[in-house]
Amino acid sequence: MTAALRRPAASLLRPLAGGRARLRWTHLILGGALLMPYWLLGTVIVSPLIGTDTMFSGSLALQFGAFAAALPIAAASALFPVARPLSVAAARAMCGLPDGSLADGPARSRAARVRTVGWFTLHVGLGGIISGMSLALPPFAVALMVLPLSPALRENRLGMPRVFRHDLAVALAPLGGILSLVALAACAAAAGALLARLAPVLLGPTPSDRLAAAERRAADLAVRNRLARELHDSVGHALSAVTLQAGAARRILDSDDPGDREFVREALTAIEETTRRTVGELDSVLGLLRQDDEHEHENEPPCGPALDALDTLLAHSGVQVALTVEGDIATVPEQVSREAYRIVQEGLSNALRHGGDAPVTLHVALSTEKLGITMENPLPTTAPVVRPGGGRGLRGVAERATLLGGHASAGPDGPLWRLSVALPPAAGAGVRRDRP
């Protein structure tokens, strides 16, 4: 029976004295503490107007006048951009609000500043009232509860009102003290619930905040997509080349022919150099992932090798490549050169996965209008064995070309498979790097 009575009592007290109510009460006390400097300034302004010599007078006119003067001053100070982040941090920690209901960052638009002013004024105003009640009511309630036990307190002219000199009032005084504490808790809970309800309205994201957040998310996704392409192109190509070389070495491993043994040695050397180079590229890409500052992501140059490392790539690609170059590719801007290297690398990976050991022809031509890359390899006469290392493939090539303002096409051309890419040779000077 006792447990059955305890549950309704707990359910009734939880809204007034539960964990959430106590946090919101603390939030209101914080508002009262923030009001104090403005209230002191208000007393300096009001005391000469009501003819009070000291700012610490117990006059109710001075107290309420200073409170009224403090609120406009507090509202003016909330116009500073830093007011919203501080208010949001306090409300998020103490009001029990769902994630995403409050805005991040300073208030920059006019509407956001006006809302912040409204919130700050309401917070310090209600906080000042609840703080004053929290200071005054508990001692008064305790005095009422001990009043029947203290005749001296009843006779003290500076203590209890004259009504408590009557026996009935003295008998009911402890109940009055308990009701005073309950009333204080109810007022604090009501004020805290009001602030929690209005916080998403006054401190929530405005349309400009939502747009800024969407732009940040788009920028983060763009950085991740760029790094994903770098990882796919470098690691995917290396895995395709290593798989092909290891398979060829395994097939002739048991041969007694000295030429075959030399081929195995060369294949193992190529595997070693390919993996070492890929580990370096992988470490470079992962270094960008470890950066914490978004601006460091934006200012970091694209990682990875460029066209000047094309000979090394072809030498360890795992397939025979006939390269012809027209023009001085060393003059190609750095960003275009890096993207062109990745395009060639992805084209070789595609040839390895689908064409096997078939030789590849690569033609790189630089002119004043474009940087052209053409790669051809014979189509397999039988169903090809698709090797591991698949991924975005030719779609990634098209994305890189489009990002630089060029275009790419791929498909069968008679007995050949042809990949053709055209890039503006000066695209790196003003192109957006993976920005939305």
Side-chain angles (χ1 to χ4, degrees):
M1 188 67 178
T2 304
L5 293 175
R6 199 174 294 162
R7 292 193 195 95
S11 63
L12 289 175
L13 292 176
R14 188 176 298 113
L16 300 181
R20 177 174 294 182
R22 291 196 300 270
L23 269 179
R24 291 177 176 176
W25 199 336
T26 305
H27 186 236
L28 288 165
I29 298 299
L30 175 62
L34 292 174
L35 180 68
M36 282 303 297
Y38 306 109
W39 182 84
L40 292 174
L41 183 58
T43 59
V44 174
I45 297 173
V46 173
S47 56
L49 300 178
I50 63 174
T52 303
D53 295 334
T54 174
M55 59 185 292
F56 297 106
S57 170
S59 168
L60 290 178
L62 176 63
Q63 304 297 323
F64 286 105
F67 179 79
L71 293 181
I73 303 173
S77 67
L79 290 171
F80 290 98
V82 73
R84 189 171 75 167
L86 295 177
S87 298
V88 165
R92 185 174 287 152
M94 300 181 186
C95 287
L97 301 173
D99 294 337
S101 60
L102 303 183
D104 293 318
R108 302 192 183 279
S109 66
R110 182 178 180 181
R113 287 195 293 269
V114 170
R115 293 180 185 181
T116 304
V117 167
W119 165 265
F120 189 75
T121 306
L122 183 63
H123 180 208
V124 298
L126 289 177
I129 294 173
I130 298 300
S131 297
M133 293 175 63
S134 300
L135 289 173
L137 277 180
F140 178 71
V142 171
L144 288 180
M145 285 186 283
V146 301
L147 187 62
L149 305 177
S150 176
L153 186 60
R154 294 195 301 270
E155 299 296 333
N156 187 358
R157 295 181 179 181
L158 299 177
M160 294 292 110
R162 294 178 62 88
V163 67
F164 289 106
R165 296 179 183 179
H166 301 287
D167 293 339
L168 180 60
V170 171
L172 295 177
L175 178 61
I178 295 174
L179 291 178
S180 298
L181 294 178
V182 172
L184 172 60
C187 291
L194 178 63
L195 286 180
R197 185 173 182 179
L198 293 179
V201 178
L202 299 177
L203 295 179
T206 63
S208 60
D209 294 325
R210 294 188 180 94
L211 179 60
E215 290 177 347
R216 288 194 298 269
R217 287 194 296 270
D220 291 340
L221 288 175
V223 171
R224 294 181 184 181
N225 288 338
R226 176 171 68 90
L227 297 179
R229 282 199 304 269
E230 297 290 343
L231 284 173
H232 168 263
D233 290 347
S234 61
V235 178
H237 169 77
L239 290 176
S240 298
V242 167
T243 301
L244 181 64
Q245 292 162 342
R250 178 182 54 81
R251 286 194 296 270
I252 62 174
L253 185 61
D254 297 329
S255 174
D256 294 331
D257 189 344
D260 291 341
R261 289 197 298 271
E262 182 62 27
F263 175 81
V264 172
R265 185 177 294 106
E266 292 177 357
L268 293 176
T269 302
I271 291 173
E272 180 185 2
E273 294 178 356
T274 300
T275 53
R276 183 183 294 114
R277 185 181 70 251
T278 306
V279 167
E281 295 180 13
L282 181 62
D283 184 67
S284 178
V285 174
L286 293 179
L288 291 182
L289 288 174
R290 298 187 189 102
Q291 298 291 341
D292 294 328
D293 188 1
E294 179 181 341
H295 296 290
E296 292 180 4
H297 278 308
E298 295 177 0
N299 297 330
E300 187 75 24
C303 56
L307 285 177
D308 54 3
L310 204 56
D311 292 336
T312 304
L313 173 67
L314 301 182
H316 303 97
S317 62
V319 66
Q320 182 180 356
V321 182
L323 171 66
T324 57
V325 177
E326 293 183 11
D328 186 8
I329 59 175
T331 62
V332 177
E334 188 176 15
Q335 182 178 350
V336 180
S337 182
R338 286 191 171 101
E339 297 297 326
Y341 177 94
R342 293 302 189 191
I343 288 172
V344 172
Q345 189 178 52
E346 183 53 49
L348 291 174
S349 298
N350 188 69
L352 280 169
R353 286 194 294 269
H354 300 283
D357 301 335
V360 175
T361 301
L362 174 62
H363 181 68
V364 180
L366 176 63
S367 64
T368 56
E369 292 84 13
K370 68 177 182 179
L371 171 65
I373 300 172
T374 304
M375 188 177 296
E376 296 177 343
N377 60 282
L379 289 171
T381 56
T382 59
V385 177
V386 179
R387 303 178 185 275
R392 298 177 63 86
L394 297 176
R395 180 182 174 186
V397 171
E399 287 180 355
R400 289 181 182 275
T402 303
L403 184 65
L404 292 175
H407 60 85
S409 61
D413 183 10
L416 300 175
W417 176 273
R418 174 174 295 170
L419 169 64
S420 298
V421 180
L423 304 175
V431 70
R432 297 177 303 171
R433 271 214 335 259
D434 292 272
R435 297 296 296 174

